[in-house]
C-alpha cells in the first residue's frame, strides 16, 4: 500500500529501515531544482533513507526490532521510543548517556565505566542495554558511529529478554550491509581540538550479495583540563539474500576507546570558587576500552507469513585502567577521608582514591525464534515462540595498594590545579581476582490475538533457568571462600489489552513482570566469592508494571504521539545495609516504586516545519524496607521528577535546514555513592539549548551545530558538569 501525492515535480521514493517497510505521508513546500516557488515532497517509503536526509530524524518508525515479533508498534501494549543516532551526531554526542538526556522516563548520570542510564527509575547498566538484541554485558564505552538507531522498550521485558532491572530495555541497531543504503565519507572538527573522520561504504556486489564497511577515527580534548579521548572503530558486514526468502548477515566490530578519564569528586566536595573546567586526572591516568563483536544473523521466510530467525553472537569487552578518582575535600589536616588516605599536610586539597583494574567480559549468545500468522476460527494469531542460551564470563583484577600494603595516594588542589601522587613506587598487590561464570536458558512464547480489527489481546510467558559460579583466584582451593555458585529459575508473564476504534488511535492496558537473579548483581556488579550468599538464595528480585496508554497518528499520519501512565514496583530487593564497613554483606527486603506519566511526539506539523520531543513525570521512592524502615519515603537516587526535550527543524528551501532544541532535566536528589543512608543532596536541574544549520546539495552535506548555545553552567551528574558552549562542523560526501 502506498499514498501518492500529485505533483509535477515528484522526487524519488526513499527507502529506510533494515527490518520493515513503512509508509509516511511527508509533503511540504520547498524550492525545487528549477527554482520555482514551491514543490511537493511525495510519500516516503521507508527502507533505507539516507541518514543525511534533513527530515530523517523527524519521521517515526512503524516497527522496532526490540519487540522481536515484527509487529507494528501500535500493536505493542508498552511504550516504545525509537531515536535516530544521526540527530545527535551533528552535535558531536557519542555517549548513550548524553544522547538520551531529556528523553521521557530516562535519567542519566556520568559513569566513566559504563553508560550511566536509568529507565523509569531503575538502573539499565546492569544488563538492560543491548546491541542488535544481544546483551551488552560488562562495563565498556563505545563508538556509536556504526549505530543506526536506538530503540527503548519501557517497562519490564523479561518475556523477551530474560533477566532485567525492570525499567526497560535499550537496543542499539547496527548499520549493516543492505541493498538500498548509499555510501558516504565525512570529516568533522570543532571545539576543544575535536576532529575526526567517518566512512560508511555500502556496496551491492550482485543481486544476492552486499557488503558494508563503517568506521571512525576521532580525537578530542575536553572543556575540562587534562582530559583526552581517542576513538578507533571498524565494522565490516556481509549480507546474502535469495529469492527463496533467506537473508543472512554477518558482522564484525572492532571498537577501541582510549581516554584520560574524567572522574572527579562530587560537587559537594568542592570548595567555593572551583571552576567547572578543572579536571582532576593525574599524570599517567588512563582508561582503555576494547570491544570486539562477531555475530551471525539469519532470517528465513519458510512459508508465507512465517519466519525463522537465528542469531549467534560472541562479544568480548575489556576495560583496563590505572587512575586516581573521586575523593574527599581536606578542609583541615584532621579531616577524615574515606580512601584510607590522610589529610595531614594537605588541607585545601582533594584526597583521591586510587585503583588499577584489568577486566575481561566475554558473552556468547544463541537465540532462535519463529514468528508467524494463523487463524483459529474467527481469531487471528500473531505468534512468537523462541529459545535463548547465553554464557557469560567476567574476570576482574583490581589493586589499590603496593606489595608492602601501603596505600597509593593522590592529591589535587581544586583552586590552583596543583597535584601530586605516589604512583610507580613498586609492583601492585592484587586485592581482587574473581572469575565469574553464568549460564542462562530461556523458553518464551507470545501471541497477539485479534478478535477483530478493533480488539486485540497480547499474552506472553517465559521460563528461565540460570546458574552462576564465582571463583576467588586469590584464595586456596580448600578455602571456604574459594568458590560460590547459585542456581535458580523464574517465570515471567505479560498480558496486554488493545483497543483500536479507528486506524489512527490505539488504546492499551498491560501488565508485565521481570526478574533479576542475585539482586541484579550481574554484569558490572558481579557477586564475589567472599560474599555471604544467604541473601541470594531467596526468590529473585522482580519488578511488576501496570501501564495504560494511547498511541496516535494525526494530520494524515504525519504526526505521531504516545501517552502512557505507569506504576512499577520492585520487590525482594537485595542491598547492602552497611556498604562502607561491610561491603560483602547483603540483605533481602524492601520495595521501591516508580510511577509516572510520559508523553512524546514526532512528525511534521506544517509543510516545512518538523518537531520531536516529549515530557516525562516520574516519582520514584522507597515504599518498604525491613532492615531500615527509616528509609521509607526517601526518593531514589538521581531520579528527576521532570524530564523533557523539544527540537524544531525548519526547511525554508530544499537545500537549507535549521534546527533549535531544548533539553530539560529537573531537580533530583542524590546520595553520596548512591547510598540512601547518606545525607541527601539537592541536585539542580538544567535546561540546555542547542542549535544547528545545515546545507544539503547532493552529493554534499554540511552542518554547523552549537551545543549549549547560552553557555549555561550546570552539572549533568553529581560528579560531572555539563559541557560549556561548543561547536562542531561536519562535512559529508554521499555517493
Amino acid at each position: 500500500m502506498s499514498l501518492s501525492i500529485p505533483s509535477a515535480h515528484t522526487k524519488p521514493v526513499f527507502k529506510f529501515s533494515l527490518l520493515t517497510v513503512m509508509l509516511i505521508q511527508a509533503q511540504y513546500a520547498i524550492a525545487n531544482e528549477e527554482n520555482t516557488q514551491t514543490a511537493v515532497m511525495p510519500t516516503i517509503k521507508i527502507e533505507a533513507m539516507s541518514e543525511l536526509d534533513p527530515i530523517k530524524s523527524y519521521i517515526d518508525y512503524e516497527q522496532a526490532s526490540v519487540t522481536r515479533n515484527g509487529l507494528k508498534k501500535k500493536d505493542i501494549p508498552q511504550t516504545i521510543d525509537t531515536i535516530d543516532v544521526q540527530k545527535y551526531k551533528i552535535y558531536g554526542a557519542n555517549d548513550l548517556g548524553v544522547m538520551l538526556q531529556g528523553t521521557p522516563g530516562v535519567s542519566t548520570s556520568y559513569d566513566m565505566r559504563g553508560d550511566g542510564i536509568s529507565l523509569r527509575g531503575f538502573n539499565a547498566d546492569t544488563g538492560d542495554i543491548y546491541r542488535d538484541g544481544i546483551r551488552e554485558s560488562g562495563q565498556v564505552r563505545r563508538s556509536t558511529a556504526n549505530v543506526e538507531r536506538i530503540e527503548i522498550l519501557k517497562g519490564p521485558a523479561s518475556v523477551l529478554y530474560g533477566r532485567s532491572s525492570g525499567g526497560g530495555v535499550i537496543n542499539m541497531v547496527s548499520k549493516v550491509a543492505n541493498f538500498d543504503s548509499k555510501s558516504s565519507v565525512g570529516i568533522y572538527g570543532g571545539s576543544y581540538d575535536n576532529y575526526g573522520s567517518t566512512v560508511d561504504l555500502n556496496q551491492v556486489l550482485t543481486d544476492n550479495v552486499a557488503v558494508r564497511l563503517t568506521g571512525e577515527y576521532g580525537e578530542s580534548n575536553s572543556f575540562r583540563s587534562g582530559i583526552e579521548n581517542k576513538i578507533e572503530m571498524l565494522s565490516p558486514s556481509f549480507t546474502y539474500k535469495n529469492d527463496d526468502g533467506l537473508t543472512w548477515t554477518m558482522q564484525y566490530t572492532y571498537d577501541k576507546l582510549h581516554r584520560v578519564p574524567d572522574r572527579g569528586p562530587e560537587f559537594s566536595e568542592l570548595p567555593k570558587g572551583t571552576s567547572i573546567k578543572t579536571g582532576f586526572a593525574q599524570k599517567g591516568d588512563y582508561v582503555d576500552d576494547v570491544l570486539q563483536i562477531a555475530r551471525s544473523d539469519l532470517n528465513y521466510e519458510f512459508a508465507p507469513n512465517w519466519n525463522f530467525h537465528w542469531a549467534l553472537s560472541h562479544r568480548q569487552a575489556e576495560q583496563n585502567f590505572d587512575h586516581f578518582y573521586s575523593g574527599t575535600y581536606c578542609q583541615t589536616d584532621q579531616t577524615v577521608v574515606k580512601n584510607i588516605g590522610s589529610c595531614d599536610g594537605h588541607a585545601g586539597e582533594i584526597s583521591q582514591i586510587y585503583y588499577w583494574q584489568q577486566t575481561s567480559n566475554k558473552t556468547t549468545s544463541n537465540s532462535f525464534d519463529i514468528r508467524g500468522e494463523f487463524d483459529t476460527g474467527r481469531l487471528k494469531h500473531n505468534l512468537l515462540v523462541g529459545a535463548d542460551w547465553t554464557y557469560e564470563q567476567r574476570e576482574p583484577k583490581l589493586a589499590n595498594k603496593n606489595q608492602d600494603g601501603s596505600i597509593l595516594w593522590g592529591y589535587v588542589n581544586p583552586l590552583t590545579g596543583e597535584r601530586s601522587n605516589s604512583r610507580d613506587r613498586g609492583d601492585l598487590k592484587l586485592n581482587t581476582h574473581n572469575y565469574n561464570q553464568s549460564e542462562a536458558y530461556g523458553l518464551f512464547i507470545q501471541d497477539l490475538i485479534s478478535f477483530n480489527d478493533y480488539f486485540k489481546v497480547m499474552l506472553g510467558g517465559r521460563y528461565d533457568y540460570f546458574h552462576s559460579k564465582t571463583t576467588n583466584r586469590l584464595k586456596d582451593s580448600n578455602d571456604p571462600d574459594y568458590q560460590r555458585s547459585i542456581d535458580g529459575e523464574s517465570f515471567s508473564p505479560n498480558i496486554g489489552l488493545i483497543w483500536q476504534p479507528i486506524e489512527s488511535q490505539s488504546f492499551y492496558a498491560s501488565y508485565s513482570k521481570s526478574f533479576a537473579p542475585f539482586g541484579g548483581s550481574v554484569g558490572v556488579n558481579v557477586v564475589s566469592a567472599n560474599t555471604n550468599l544467604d541473601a541470594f538464595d531467596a526468590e529473585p528480585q522482580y519488578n511488576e508494571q501496570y501501564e495504560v496508554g494511547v498511541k496516535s497518528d494525526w494530520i494524515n499520519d504525519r504526526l505521531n504521539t504516545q501517552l502512557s501512565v505507569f506504576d512499577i514496583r520492585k520487590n525482594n530487593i537485595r542491598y547492602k545495609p552497611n556498604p562502607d564497613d561491610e561491603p560483602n554483606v547483603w540483605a533481602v527486603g524492601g520495595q521501591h516504586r516508580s510511577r509516572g506519566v510520559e508523553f512524546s511526539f514526532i512528525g511534521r506539523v506544517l509543510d516545512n516545519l518538523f518537531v520531536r520531543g516529549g515530557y516525562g513525570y516520574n516519582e520514584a521512592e522507597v515504599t518498604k524496607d525491613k532492615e531500615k524502615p527509616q528509609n521509607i519515603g526517601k526518593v531514589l537516587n538521581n531520579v528527576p521528577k521532570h524530564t523533557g526535550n523539544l527540537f524544531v527543524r525548519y526547511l525554508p528551501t530544499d537545500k537549507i535546514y535549521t534546527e533549535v532544541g531544548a533539553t530539560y532535566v529537573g531537580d533530583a536528589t542524590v546520595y553520596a555513592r548512591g547510598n540512601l543512608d547518606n545525607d541527601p543532596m539537592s541536585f539542580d536541574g538544567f535546561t540546555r539549548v542547542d542549535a544547528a544549520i545545515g546545507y544539503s546539495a547532493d552529493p554534499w552535506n554540511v552542518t554547523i551545530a552549537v551545543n549549549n548555545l547560552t553557555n549555561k553552567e550546570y552539572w549533568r551528574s553529581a560528579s560531572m558538569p555539563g559541557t560549556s558552549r561548543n561547536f562542531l562542523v561536519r562535512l559529508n560526501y554521499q555517493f
Side-chain angles (χ1 to χ4, degrees):
M1 169 181 179
S2 111
L3 300 173
S4 61
I5 302 174
S7 172
H9 305 283
T10 303
K11 297 186 177 181
V13 171
F14 294 92
K15 295 183 175 181
F16 180 56
S17 166
L18 301 174
L19 300 173
T20 188
V21 175
M22 161 183 177
L23 305 179
I24 295 181
Q25 181 182 0
Q27 164 186 356
Y28 63 94
I30 56 176
N32 59 29
E33 294 91 346
E34 300 175 358
N35 295 319
T36 59
Q37 290 298 311
T38 61
V40 178
M41 174 168 281
T43 301
I44 298 177
K45 185 180 181 183
I46 306 281
E47 178 82 19
M49 181 191 297
S50 165
E51 69 175 16
L52 302 180
D53 190 286
I55 68 168
K56 176 192 173 188
S57 60
Y58 287 83
I59 295 177
D60 197 15
Y61 291 74
E62 192 175 49
Q63 296 171 302
S65 60
V66 71
T67 65
R68 301 187 67 167
N69 52 27
L71 298 174
K72 296 180 179 180
K73 291 197 293 185
K74 279 189 174 182
D75 290 333
I76 306 299
Q78 287 181 252
T79 301
I80 302 171
D81 290 330
T82 305
I83 303 167
D84 273 294
V85 168
Q86 184 62 23
K87 79 179 187 181
Y88 297 104
K89 286 299 185 181
I90 65 173
Y91 295 100
N94 184 65
D95 296 341
L96 286 180
V98 175
M99 292 182 177
L100 299 184
Q101 280 181 341
T103 302
V106 180
S107 55
T108 65
S109 62
Y110 177 79
D111 189 337
M112 181 219 69
R113 300 163 299 170
D115 294 298
I117 299 173
S118 294
L119 297 176
R120 292 183 170 176
F122 302 112
N123 185 15
D125 281 24
T126 55
D128 291 329
I129 298 176
Y130 288 74
R131 178 73 164 258
D132 300 308
I134 305 299
R135 180 178 284 111
E136 289 272 275
S137 298
Q139 57 198 64
V140 70
R141 302 286 283 274
R142 71 192 76 74
S143 169
T144 50
N146 66 331
V147 176
E148 171 72 25
R149 63 186 183 273
I150 302 168
E151 303 170 336
I152 307 173
L153 175 62
K154 295 179 178 177
S158 285
V159 167
L160 299 175
Y161 293 100
R163 76 167 196 253
S164 170
S165 294
V169 167
I170 298 171
N171 183 47
M172 295 175 287
V173 180
S174 299
K175 299 176 181 178
V176 296
N178 62 82
F179 296 86
D180 301 297
S181 294
K182 293 184 178 181
S183 298
S184 67
V185 293
I187 58 174
Y188 59 84
S191 303
Y192 314 119
D193 295 323
N194 182 6
Y195 64 90
S197 60
T198 59
V199 60
D200 185 359
L201 306 176
N202 189 76
Q203 183 65 44
V204 178
L205 301 181
T206 70
D207 291 342
N208 304 107
V209 178
V211 294
R212 190 170 187 173
L213 178 67
T214 58
E216 179 181 24
Y217 178 87
E219 295 186 25
S220 67
N221 295 330
S222 170
F223 77 105
R224 301 255 282 183
S225 59
I227 307 303
E228 302 174 0
N229 294 275
K230 183 169 74 173
I231 295 174
E232 302 173 68
M233 186 276 294
L234 200 66
S235 183
S237 59
F238 162 93
T239 295
Y240 169 82
K241 73 172 185 179
N242 61 28
D243 295 333
D244 296 325
L246 177 69
T247 302
W248 178 37
T249 296
M250 294 191 303
Q251 184 180 33
Y252 170 78
T253 298
Y254 174 84
D255 199 334
K256 181 178 181 180
L257 179 60
H258 173 80
R259 295 174 281 161
V260 175
D262 197 354
R263 200 178 178 189
E266 295 185 343
F267 64 82
S268 61
E269 294 287 344
L270 298 175
K272 186 177 181 180
T274 303
S275 172
I276 65 170
K277 296 184 178 181
T278 298
F280 291 84
Q282 295 275 357
K283 184 179 180 180
D285 284 1
Y286 76 90
V287 182
D288 282 336
D289 297 299
V290 180
L291 174 65
Q292 298 183 80
I293 306 172
R295 72 180 183 96
S296 169
D297 199 278
L298 185 145
N299 284 275
Y300 177 50
E301 188 177 7
F302 58 91
N305 298 318
W306 283 89
N307 187 83
F308 169 77
H309 175 235
W310 172 35
L312 176 65
S313 171
H314 180 74
R315 178 182 182 276
Q316 181 169 318
E318 298 178 2
Q319 185 174 86
N320 304 323
F321 60 68
D322 185 334
H323 71 190
F324 294 85
Y325 68 99
S326 190
T328 301
Y329 180 60
C330 295
Q331 292 185 346
T332 68
D333 286 355
Q334 289 75 42
T335 300
V336 178
V337 295
K338 292 183 173 61
N339 58 322
I340 322 178
S342 171
C343 283
D344 187 20
H346 294 279
E349 299 180 359
I350 299 290
S351 177
Q352 297 178 296
I353 302 171
Y354 171 82
Y355 257 105
W356 170 94
Q357 173 186 282
Q358 287 186 354
T359 299
S360 174
N361 298 272
K362 299 178 182 178
T363 304
T364 302
S365 300
N366 202 6
S367 177
F368 301 87
D369 61 70
I370 295 174
R371 66 176 188 266
E373 300 178 9
F374 67 95
D375 296 332
T376 56
R378 295 183 177 181
L379 303 181
K380 178 182 177 181
H381 299 263
N382 290 91
L383 182 69
L384 171 69
V385 59
D388 298 324
W389 170 80
T390 302
Y391 177 63
E392 299 177 67
Q393 301 164 277
R394 184 176 187 265
E395 187 170 7
K397 302 176 184 178
L398 293 96
N400 66 345
K401 294 182 180 180
N402 294 308
Q403 287 289 337
D404 61 4
S406 61
I407 68 164
L408 277 79
W409 48 262
Y411 298 93
V412 178
N413 188 313
L415 301 180
T416 66
E418 184 179 355
R419 61 201 69 204
S420 59
N421 69 77
S422 63
R423 180 191 274 129
D424 299 328
R425 297 192 178 182
D427 294 333
L428 298 177
K429 182 179 181 180
L430 290 180
N431 61 11
T432 299
H433 184 186
N434 289 330
Y435 179 62
N436 308 288
Q437 298 170 278
S438 65
E439 195 168 14
Y441 302 87
L443 298 172
F444 62 92
I445 184 171
Q446 190 177 72
D447 189 14
L448 178 68
I449 305 170
S450 301
F451 295 88
N452 49 44
D453 292 338
Y454 311 107
F455 294 99
K456 304 175 183 180
V457 175
M458 172 103 47
L459 299 173
R462 180 186 180 104
Y463 169 80
D464 282 279
Y465 168 79
F466 45 85
H467 171 79
S468 181
K469 180 171 65 176
T470 298
T471 303
N472 187 341
R473 291 185 167 173
L474 298 180
K475 299 283 188 178
D476 186 85
S477 60
N478 297 319
D479 194 293
D481 291 335
Y482 173 69
Q483 194 171 81
R484 304 286 177 92
S485 62
I486 309 173
D487 296 89
E489 58 186 355
S490 182
F491 177 75
S492 306
N494 73 353
I495 181 172
L497 306 176
I498 303 165
W499 177 47
Q500 299 169 338
I502 56 177
E503 187 176 354
S504 62
Q505 305 293 322
S506 181
F507 298 84
Y508 67 89
S510 65
Y511 165 83
S512 53
K513 183 180 178 181
S514 67
F515 76 98
F518 332 129
S521 292
V522 293
V524 176
N525 303 307
V526 178
V527 176
S528 63
N530 58 346
T531 297
N532 185 339
L533 298 183
D534 292 341
F536 295 93
D537 291 332
E539 183 182 0
Q541 179 177 290
Y542 68 93
N543 286 44
E544 293 182 295
Q545 174 181 270
Y546 297 89
E547 179 176 329
V548 296
V550 57
K551 303 178 183 182
S552 306
D553 297 324
W554 310 94
I555 321 176
N556 294 325
D557 296 342
R558 297 182 304 181
L559 180 67
N560 310 103
T561 64
Q562 291 187 102
L563 175 64
S564 61
V565 180
F566 64 89
D567 188 314
I568 307 177
R569 306 197 181 193
K570 176 178 285 189
N571 301 279
N572 288 340
I573 298 172
R574 273 69 160 181
Y575 66 101
K576 300 177 181 180
N578 190 3
D580 293 331
D581 299 328
E582 297 179 298
N584 293 314
V585 176
W586 292 74
V588 181
Q591 181 189 81
H592 294 171
R593 181 178 67 191
S594 174
R595 55 186 177 177
V597 180
E598 295 170 2
F599 175 69
S600 61
F601 52 88
I602 183 171
R604 176 170 69 94
V605 293
L606 297 174
D607 287 346
N608 52 358
L609 188 68
F610 297 80
V611 298
R612 53 177 168 84
Y615 166 76
Y617 176 82
N618 194 183
E619 291 183 347
E621 62 182 4
V622 179
T623 48
K624 296 179 182 178
D625 195 320
K626 297 178 181 178
E627 294 287 331
K628 296 184 177 182
Q630 66 270 22
N631 286 338
I632 296 175
K634 288 186 177 180
V635 298
L636 300 188
N637 183 59
N638 193 34
V639 182
K641 282 189 176 183
H642 306 276
T643 53
N645 66 90
L646 172 63
F647 280 78
V648 179
R649 180 165 289 189
Y650 174 65
L651 283 70
T653 75
D654 63 342
K655 296 181 179 176
I656 298 175
Y657 52 96
T658 60
E659 179 178 88
V660 63
T663 298
Y664 170 68
V665 177
D667 298 347
T669 299
V670 297
Y671 307 85
R673 299 175 299 284
N675 184 2
L676 297 182
D677 291 339
N678 293 323
D679 294 332
M681 298 177 290
S682 178
F683 182 74
D684 294 335
F686 63 89
T687 299
R688 189 189 68 242
V689 178
D690 307 318
I693 185 171
Y695 178 80
S696 182
D698 194 29
W700 295 97
N701 178 279
V702 61
T703 59
I704 303 174
V706 181
N707 185 62
N708 195 0
L709 184 66
T710 63
N711 201 29
K712 182 177 181 62
E713 188 170 303
Y714 68 96
W715 288 78
R716 53 176 286 204
S717 74
S719 60
M720 176 56 65
T723 304
S724 304
R725 179 169 55 221
N726 61 95
F727 75 92
L728 187 74
V729 180
R730 301 187 74 98
L731 176 65
N732 289 278
Y733 177 79
Q734 184 171 266
F735 55 98

